[in-house]
Amino acid sequence: MTATETQQAKTASDSASRRYATVNPFTGETEKEFDFTPTEAIDGIIGRAHGAYREWAQRPVADRAAVVRRAAELMDERRDDLAALITTEMGKRKEEATGELYLCSMILKYYADNGPGFLEPTSITPLMGKGEAVVETRPIGVLLAIEPWNYPFYQVVRVAGPNLVLGNTVILKHAEITPQCAVAIEQLFTDAGAPEGVFTNTFLRIDDVEQVIADPRIQGVTLTGSERAGSSVGSLAGKYLKKSVLELGGSDPFIVLDADDMAATVKAATSGRMQNTGQACTASKRLIVTEEHYEPFVEGLKQAFSTFSPGDPADPSTSLAPLSSERAAQDLHAQIQDAIDKGATVVAGGKRPDRPGAFVEATILTDVTPEMRAFREELFGPAAVVYKVKDDEEAVALANDSDFGLGATVMSGDVDRARAVAERLEAGMVWINQPTGSSPELPFGGVKRSGYGRELSELAMFEFANRRLVRTVPVRKAEKPISG
């Protein structure tokens, strides 16, 4: 065993024995640890969140929106420090960490500015009887948000932004490897003026999650994470009759129908696959290319992937950051090796660099077949699988041959052709001539095993809302008696 392998094995063992710890994935060093939230403290946390809801929901919506906007302003002011925290805890490159915080600020400002308007009552003209009918959008109470490490601020604010403006309160259980980000988010909302209990960070044990969901004061639960976690939380939500939203994995197709500008197409595919070191649910993981364009596409992608070199994610010149943890790097490499062992072709990468850090080479696989793990499983890291197809029909069939249905991309100079293909894709989001992305005004979510419900856009305001009907009928006046 090499020195690097020994260090990697030790890091993996150490990480597995700790929970809620900042383990720098570049150095392997544990920088800070946090105690679990005591099980006996959970009732009090929920009680404070429930009490805060009673007051928060009655505040004018403009006041709630002002707190959310102030949180965005504080995020702008603290951007450099928060970006450094993201880089330290989960290894995101400095430029991408800063970009995540820009997007978070946009989301909070979007709901601060537009949320009150989304909550305006809507009128319905009754079909029977006189009077009026109005649908109001009201909060429902305390929500539990279970969030992942890959976008440690973005995943949280896309839940917190709309729901705090709506009038709900939020209890956060963040990923065990990003505890300092979780603390910083709570501090943002506290400093922005949110009363105690409106937004609460916890360091819950997984075994204590059911206790929270079961509590009658909890009215909803949302999770972004793996299929396994989603299945567990969805089952608990159903058991205790709680509303849930799940944003789970993805194995997004990137379909190349034609390419008048192959360099631009390759650049888009590279960006779609390698953003955040490939650790995104909506990353372009399956690159599906018509046979006419297959060879030049693969050659261009090989050249692009060859430029990725591992380094310190805090260094602006670094092009390939470590994965979030040694465990994540080991898991991805095992999937890649399984494909290689069963006959896949390695066009680029395929190995772990012989150096410290949770790195996996930027990898391209072809000739991947259904018996390989890489055909069905989500590859959460810098590994792309490229498939050759005869025509649009075969491209659609392969794209839909997946348990996932989060996002998809269709590339073509013929927009009508691209739209015809997009119309047939089983996905919650389809982007034409651009990799799947995110913006505050665009709904985010999937179908099939990628989950259910929507975050962002106006739709997010209604996932955990009471769409309350108020039907008013005029008072009928009694007829005057006939006098004799």
Side-chain angles (χ1 to χ4, degrees):
M1 179 179 286
T2 67
T4 296
E5 290 171 334
T6 301
Q7 186 269 340
Q8 289 171 342
K10 181 180 184 301
T11 300
S13 175
D14 290 348
S15 297
S17 67
R18 287 193 288 263
R19 302 296 294 278
Y20 289 104
T22 300
V23 181
N24 188 315
F26 176 64
T27 65
E29 297 297 320
T30 299
E31 300 197 2
K32 197 165 187 178
E33 296 181 87
F34 294 82
D35 292 333
F36 286 114
T37 297
T39 301
E40 59 271 19
I42 292 174
D43 182 72
I45 291 170
I46 297 174
R48 285 188 290 276
H50 181 66
Y53 162 70
R54 293 297 189 193
E55 187 273 331
W56 183 248
Q58 297 306 313
R59 284 196 182 193
V61 65
D63 290 356
R64 300 195 298 262
V67 170
V68 171
R69 169 163 277 281
R70 181 57 184 152
E73 293 168 352
L74 291 173
M75 184 173 286
D76 291 338
E77 294 172 10
R78 302 172 185 178
R79 184 179 296 127
D80 289 344
D81 290 340
L82 298 178
L85 205 54
I86 295 171
T87 297
T88 297
E89 292 208 297
M90 57 77 54
K92 196 189 301 283
R93 291 193 304 114
K94 181 179 180 180
E95 177 185 1
E96 292 182 329
T98 301
E100 177 181 342
L101 292 164
Y102 272 114
L103 178 56
C104 291
S105 177
M106 287 176 59
I107 291 169
L108 294 175
K109 291 173 184 175
Y110 174 80
Y111 286 108
D113 294 344
N114 297 286
F118 295 154
L119 300 181
E120 288 292 325
T122 57
S123 296
I124 299 173
T125 302
L127 295 177
M128 295 182 292
K130 297 180 180 180
E132 64 178 17
V134 174
V135 175
E136 301 174 339
T137 303
R138 302 292 303 156
I140 61 172
V142 186
L143 310 178
L144 173 64
I146 304 172
E147 302 301 333
W149 47 261
N150 59 333
Y151 291 91
F153 283 80
Y154 163 71
Q155 304 281 12
V156 176
V157 302
R158 71 185 193 186
V159 173
N163 281 292
L164 295 188
V165 173
L166 172 59
N168 293 323
T169 58
V170 177
I171 295 173
L172 172 66
K173 183 222 173 293
H174 215 319
E176 288 84 356
I177 67 172
T178 54
Q180 294 189 72
C181 289
V183 170
I185 295 167
E186 182 184 50
Q187 194 64 51
L188 275 173
F189 286 111
T190 298
D191 293 347
E196 182 184 12
V198 167
F199 185 95
T200 306
N201 174 60
T202 64
F203 293 133
L204 289 176
R205 295 177 176 84
I206 292 175
D207 291 345
D208 286 335
V209 167
E210 181 170 2
Q211 176 184 339
V212 178
I213 296 175
D215 193 290
R217 294 166 293 184
I218 298 292
Q219 296 301 306
V221 57
T222 181
L223 174 141
T224 296
S226 67
E227 290 178 85
R228 181 179 177 182
S231 178
S232 176
V233 168
S235 296
L236 291 173
K239 177 180 178 180
Y240 296 108
L241 298 179
K242 305 297 172 73
K243 173 66 189 291
S244 62
V245 169
L246 302 178
E247 195 273 279
L248 308 179
S251 189
D252 288 12
F254 182 100
I255 302 173
V256 180
L257 302 178
D258 56 66
D260 292 336
D261 187 342
M262 181 57 74
T265 301
V266 167
K267 183 178 180 181
T270 303
S271 172
R273 173 64 278 204
M274 295 297 291
Q275 199 268 338
N276 200 29
T277 319
Q279 300 170 114
C281 297
T282 55
S284 301
K285 301 183 178 80
R286 295 181 296 143
L287 312 182
I288 300 170
V289 188
T290 53
E291 56 187 0
E292 179 184 355
H293 304 281
Y294 179 81
E295 294 297 339
F297 177 85
V298 171
E299 181 57 34
L301 196 69
K302 178 181 179 180
Q303 293 178 14
F305 272 43
S306 70
T307 65
F308 288 93
S309 178
D312 184 349
D315 183 342
S317 67
T318 292
S319 56
L320 182 67
L323 274 76
S324 64
S325 67
E326 177 59 26
R327 177 69 60 83
Q330 290 180 354
D331 289 347
L332 177 64
H333 186 249
Q335 292 172 302
I336 294 170
Q337 192 61 50
D338 172 81
I340 295 171
D341 292 344
K342 293 175 181 175
T345 299
V346 181
V347 175
K351 301 184 182 69
R352 297 285 310 271
D354 187 14
R355 57 160 298 153
F359 290 98
V360 174
E361 293 177 342
T363 299
I364 302 171
L365 299 175
T366 60
D367 304 311
V368 170
T369 53
E371 68 272 13
M372 302 172 188
R373 293 176 61 192
F375 189 89
R376 291 287 175 196
E377 296 179 7
E378 179 179 22
L379 301 181
F380 215 64
V385 179
V386 188
Y387 297 93
K388 182 196 297 185
V389 293
K390 292 185 300 184
D391 52 26
D392 298 11
E393 193 74 24
E394 190 172 321
V396 170
L398 181 56
N400 289 339
D401 187 12
S402 172
D403 293 333
F404 299 104
L406 191 54
T409 299
V410 183
M411 303 290 290
S412 175
D414 183 343
V415 174
D416 289 338
R417 179 186 181 190
R419 285 176 176 163
V421 167
E423 189 173 301
R424 300 167 61 194
L425 296 178
E426 297 167 352
M429 304 169 283
V430 182
W431 289 56
I432 294 175
N433 291 329
Q434 183 178 330
T436 307
S438 181
S439 188
E441 77 283 6
L442 303 178
F444 190 105
V447 295
K448 297 163 70 171
R449 293 188 69 83
S450 288
Y452 50 78
R454 292 296 180 266
E455 295 181 326
L456 300 180
S457 79
E458 182 177 1
L459 300 183
M461 298 290 294
F462 306 137
E463 288 289 355
F464 294 103
N466 174 13
R467 302 281 278 171
R468 183 172 66 188
L469 169 68
V470 179
R471 176 75 165 94
T472 304
V473 178
V475 175
R476 294 181 181 178
K477 297 181 179 179
E479 295 183 0
K480 294 182 179 180
I482 299 174
S483 60

